[in-house]
Amino acid sequence: MTEIIDIREEHSWAVARGCQVLTEAEPVAMPTETVYGLAADATNPAAIARIYEIKGRPQFNPLIAHMSDFAMAERYARFDPVSRILAKMFWPGPLTLILPLAENSEIHPLCTAGLDTVGVRVPKGFAGELIEAFGRPLAAPSANTSGRVSPTSAEHVAADLGEKIRLILDGGASDVGVESTIIKVEGDVIRLLRPGGLAVEDIENRIGHAVLRQDTAGAAIEAPGMLASHYAPAAAVRLNAQVVLPGEIFVNFGSQPVADTDNAIALFDLSSTGSLREAAANLFAIMKMADQLPARGIAFAPIPRHGLGEAINDRLARAAAPRPEVSDAT
């Protein structure tokens, strides 16, 4: 039976028990500020293999190595001057940097999918404490079956992965609600590989440098989140809808006017006030709720593309994409 520990009530025990299970090369579901991660020792091939096995994740898709702080990150990856500035500005937080592996880095090639780079992030809160106590970086894709909707609560993890994992650490609902923003610095160019919980405009405003957005469809996979189809509920997803078709679930944003709402079997609103931050935090939870209902499809109202709207639209586009038999990009 899966063990669930509420970190708010049994904090010290959650850290100790988490370290114990991790030491046994078994993954642990842990809360982060973005989504819940399925965490395992990023230096241990047996532990990383268990992540792929539990998720049903293709092994060509790299994992992010989560660190306790900047000092730990420097032991495993090499920082160019711009990446160092970004790390100092935004860590801990929802930013992943793609960096060259440090000489003699102990990050296992299973974590990097054989690449000579690694995605590195320092998460806020409990996850950072667990990593510090464990003493080694944790590979931690989202704690869900490959290709499905990412979990933002312990209940989501339990409902999806069930008895496949030994331990779920419950920290309540994730604050950000979408995965981290992934950036790669190449000389004078700062490339966006995946929009996420840190708005690109915030990066540009703080660093005074433009971030290059590019179409990653069909591009070589350099980081998680680059596969075309992902974050998908069981029902088909329709975007930029302004009318509800019979048998659909409709997900609004900002209480926009919509036609034929009587056709809907259920109505949701990502944020009735039009807050993109609230919408990001609610996105996966609402997709999970919608996925439990017998619908012909899930229709989403138009959502602005600025700020966190960029990440929301990215996730929805991947959810609506044609689905291969196996896909994953957490």
Side-chain angles (χ1 to χ4, degrees):
M1 181 175 180
T2 303
E3 181 180 4
I4 301 177
I5 301 175
D6 191 324
I7 68 171
R8 296 156 296 184
E9 297 179 359
E10 299 180 275
H11 189 94
S12 297
W13 172 236
V15 173
R17 180 65 174 140
C19 288
Q20 181 182 25
V21 174
L22 290 167
T23 300
E24 295 168 0
E26 282 294 322
V28 169
M30 70 176 184
T32 79
E33 77 276 31
T34 56
V35 299
Y36 274 66
L38 186 62
D41 186 347
T43 70
N44 185 329
I48 300 167
R50 283 289 290 143
I51 291 176
Y52 286 110
E53 179 185 9
I54 290 168
K55 285 177 62 68
R57 179 186 176 100
Q59 293 191 12
F60 60 77
N61 201 5
L63 306 175
I64 294 170
H66 293 70
M67 309 286 175
S68 60
D69 53 26
F70 182 79
M72 177 182 277
E74 278 195 305
R75 297 202 296 271
Y76 294 94
R78 291 189 288 112
F79 285 79
D80 60 89
V82 175
S83 294
R84 183 179 297 271
I85 291 170
L86 289 168
K88 295 289 188 179
M89 283 182 172
F90 296 108
W91 282 353
L95 173 68
T96 293
L97 297 171
I98 304 300
L99 303 167
L101 287 163
E103 187 176 356
N104 300 319
S105 175
E106 295 180 356
I107 299 293
H108 195 273
L110 265 182
C111 181
T112 67
L115 300 173
D116 59 4
T117 57
V118 60
V120 178
R121 182 166 97 84
V122 175
K124 287 183 180 179
F126 177 83
E129 294 179 49
L130 181 61
I131 298 164
E132 182 177 15
F134 184 59
R136 292 188 293 280
L138 295 179
S142 56
N144 58 284
T145 300
S146 180
R148 307 302 291 177
V149 179
S150 299
T152 55
S153 71
E155 291 79 10
H156 293 163
V157 178
D160 186 349
L161 298 182
E163 299 300 312
K164 293 181 180 180
I165 57 177
R166 286 170 51 182
L167 180 63
I168 299 172
L169 301 174
D170 183 358
S174 301
D175 291 333
V176 176
V178 292
E179 296 85 351
S180 60
T181 300
I182 301 182
I183 293 290
K184 186 177 184 181
V185 178
E186 297 173 316
D188 295 332
V189 178
I190 304 174
R191 293 171 55 211
L192 175 68
L193 298 185
R194 180 180 74 183
L198 175 62
V200 176
E201 291 93 334
D202 290 345
I203 298 173
E204 292 175 326
N205 291 338
R206 288 285 301 278
I207 203 169
H209 193 296
V211 174
L212 176 64
R213 296 165 170 87
Q214 58 191 102
D215 184 3
T216 60
I221 294 176
E222 302 176 77
M226 293 182 68
L227 293 180
S229 176
H230 189 52
Y231 314 109
V237 172
R238 186 166 66 92
L239 306 181
N240 299 313
Q242 295 175 311
V243 60
V244 183
L245 302 180
E248 280 189 324
I249 295 167
F250 187 79
V251 183
N252 208 342
F253 172 76
S255 302
Q256 298 177 56
V258 57
D260 297 331
T261 55
D262 289 346
N263 286 332
I265 67 168
L267 296 169
F268 298 96
D269 201 317
L270 291 171
S271 172
S272 60
T273 62
S275 164
L276 287 170
R277 184 168 298 278
E278 182 183 19
N282 288 335
L283 176 63
F284 289 140
I286 286 178
M287 288 174 73
K288 288 276 190 183
M289 287 189 286
D291 213 19
Q292 302 303 309
L293 301 174
R296 61 170 288 182
I298 306 172
F300 285 82
I303 297 169
R305 294 185 174 273
H306 61 81
L308 290 180
E310 185 171 7
I312 296 169
N313 278 287
D314 172 80
R315 302 308 188 273
L316 291 178
R318 295 178 194 275
R323 304 175 189 181
E325 185 174 343
V326 177
S327 69
D328 182 56
T330 50

